[in-house]
Amino acid sequence: MKRRSFLKKAGLGLAAASAVAAPAIVRAQAPAVSWRMALSWPKSLDALYGGAEFISKRVSDATGGKFTIKVFAAGEIVGGLQVLDAVQNGTVECGHTANYYYFGKDPTFAFAASIPFGLNARQQNAWMRHGGGLELMREFFKDYNCYNIPAGNTGAQMGGWFRKEIKTVADLKGLKMRIGGTAGLVLATLGVVPQQIAGGDIYPALEKGTIDAAEWVGPYDDEKLGFYKVAKNYYYPAWWEGGTELDLLVNIKAWEALPKDYQAILESACADAYDWVLTKYDAGNPAALKRLVANGVKLLPFSNDIMAACYKASQEVYDGIAAKNAKFNKVYEPWKKFRDEQVQWFSIAENRYDNFMVSAQRSSQRAPAKK
Ligand code: CA
């Protein structure tokens, strides 16, 4: 009894002491973690590079400078298309990239970016967060020692810069085009010779004539990269990139070694960066497009015939991959169902609203209000 009450007292004493001291102890014990992030982007692209810097700053600010992530532009540690390899083998702890660059290893990667006639930015985010996409993709990425966190989106992209006009499907034959991801597989079936080139290296190839056409993102980035100086025909839309997601790939050992609170902070920083990048593009694109058109750029839609031929080709390409690749098929089947349901839903409220706004604005521009 005596011993028991002694223990009870001692226990209370300890509890009281630790309650007072706990906050100081937690702060003192917050470990210093220093990471490196390799990017697929050059510094000049302030929506993409800026998105990666945003993550780094947010993480540092939220941890009182204890968890730092140093950002390296494409080429500083590894080339823009080698980010996955660098994260997978632990050269860097993390990397900011577009996962469709790795479709040559496995086309399944592209679901965590975009595939032709896929989801728009809203739908991609919905699939990842609430449609089972993130679970499916995290399972896939485990085989590459990576933990993937969505961390940006470009929105719907432009179809790119063509030296000559592309009027018919036949005009695609023999065309050497820089194009990202799975779209190359689709266009190859129509005679295009696709090339995968990192963002910072496209301009010289287009200028020299090594390629006939190039696509990157949209007006905000494309203006900075200067494509309009060497190819004047600017096509839309990039039917292969309705809303391209960007990801932070984290080496799985580095992720598992990270304290839980740092993990939560990093996930939150990436979710915030997702929105930051998308809104940066949405806010910057209109003025950039006006400047491009003022510089003599010819804005052209892909014809319905070309779009329809590419749509048909894309379905055949997917069916072909799905028949041979179980990992791809495991994602593709539920993804396709999700996409088809989203297209139906968006056709009701979203599209009707957007289309009405466009026609209302056009008719008010045609006919000034009566006095
Ligand atoms: Ca693109």
Side-chain angles (χ1 to χ4, degrees), residues 258-269:
L258 205 59
K260 285 271 176 284
D261 52 345
Y262 287 9
Q263 286 182 346
I265 286 165
L266 184 56
E267 296 242 33
S268 291

Side-chain angles (χ1 to χ4, degrees), residues 100 157 178 215-217 240-241:
Y100 57 33
Q157 298 195 7
R178 183 278 170 195
E215 65 86 42
W216 175 245
V217 173
W240 51 93
E241 300 193 70

Side-chain angles (χ1 to χ4, degrees), residues 28-97:
Q29 286 178 344
V33 174
S34 173
W35 278 13
R36 301 196 301 170
M37 188 198 302
L39 312 188
S40 290
W41 336 114
K43 261 184 196 169
S44 60
L45 299 178
D46 66 353
L48 296 168
Y49 187 92
E53 273 189 322
F54 178 96
I55 296 166
S56 163
K57 186 172 186 310
R58 180 57 57 89
V59 164
S60 175
D61 288 350
T63 59
K66 286 283 188 181
F67 180 14
T68 59
I69 308 176
K70 193 164 184 224
V71 166
F72 293 88
E76 287 183 349
I77 297 176
V78 289
L81 306 179
Q82 277 88 49
V83 170
L84 170 71
D85 293 339
V87 176
Q88 186 181 354
N89 63 31
T91 305
V92 291
E93 288 81 8
C94 63
H96 196 246
T97 190

